[in-house]
Amino acid sequence: MKPIDRTYEFTVDARRDEVFALLSDARNLDLLTPPWFAFEIVSADAGRMDEGVEIEYRLRWRLMRFTWRSRVFGWRPLESFAYEQVDGPFRSFVHEHFFEDAPAGGTRVVDRVVYRPPGAALADRLLVAPDLDRIFSFREEKVSQVLERPIRESVRLVAVAD
């Protein structure tokens, strides 16, 4: 199965440094992850973000509990960073974050997730994709709540990666 490429974009009426600080601090992953995932950070260095830092956490997806470990790469403060699954349930999983000043003010956040799901395409269509959509919708709402600023625009794009 080819990788699936899902992009989630939103614009929030907040400064880029505020948005980056919230989304780049791994200690906030629990806050930004829906409660039905029973998310728990395990690694001691979870708050320190930099190139090569690994973060380990436990979570529940549907009826399965598992440990997931990610490595940070592409660390460019106020611009971008990414997590790559080192150990977890997916065949591969990369989550890239991009931050830019929005033309009408505020910050545009782009999250690109490229992954190969466990199981076949049907598992993605019925389970993984709907859950990713729910996760990113939840996250947008939390960003708006925590920063006490509205989300102005929200876009979702899906493609099959080459």
Side-chain angles (χ1 to χ4, degrees):
M1 178 176 188
K2 288 186 175 184
I4 297 166
D5 186 333
R6 301 179 73 77
T7 301
Y8 301 87
E9 302 177 12
F10 68 92
T11 301
V12 61
D13 281 334
R15 293 188 331 262
R16 189 181 344 176
D17 62 326
E18 294 175 289
V19 179
F20 186 86
L22 175 64
L23 295 174
S24 67
D25 187 335
R27 294 170 296 192
N28 292 330
L29 285 169
D30 181 35
L31 172 70
L32 299 169
T33 303
W36 66 84
F37 272 92
F39 189 89
E40 177 189 1
I41 294 177
V42 176
S43 60
D45 283 350
R48 185 180 69 82
M49 292 293 280
D50 205 346
E51 190 78 24
V53 167
E54 290 192 5
I55 303 164
E56 186 173 334
Y57 30 92
R58 287 188 205 108
L59 56 108
R60 181 183 66 234
W61 181 58
R62 306 270 174 173
L63 298 175
M64 299 175 292
R65 291 196 61 77
F66 54 87
T67 300
W68 187 316
R69 189 165 37 104
S70 297
R71 180 179 303 117
V72 175
F73 70 96
W75 178 253
R76 291 188 301 276
L78 300 178
E79 293 179 21
S80 64
F81 68 96
Y83 298 106
E84 178 177 30
Q85 174 188 281
V86 174
D87 186 38
F90 287 79
R91 293 178 188 158
S92 64
F93 191 96
V94 174
H95 178 187
E96 299 172 290
H97 305 72
F98 301 95
F99 304 84
E100 58 188 50
D101 295 332
T107 302
R108 181 171 170 251
V109 178
V110 178
D111 288 290
R112 181 176 182 221
V113 181
V114 179
Y115 63 95
R116 290 177 188 239
L122 184 62
D124 181 64
R125 193 172 73 235
L126 295 177
L127 302 171
V128 176
D131 282 352
L132 282 174
D133 290 347
R134 289 173 57 211
I135 289 166
F136 281 96
S137 290
F138 178 90
R139 188 167 161 261
E140 283 180 25
E141 290 175 24
K142 280 297 183 185
V143 167
S144 178
Q145 288 173 3
V146 169
L147 296 176
E148 298 178 341
R149 302 286 189 350
I151 300 294
R152 281 204 319 256
E153 182 181 6
S154 183
V155 179
R156 305 216 181 334
L157 307 167
V158 180
V160 175
D162 292 328

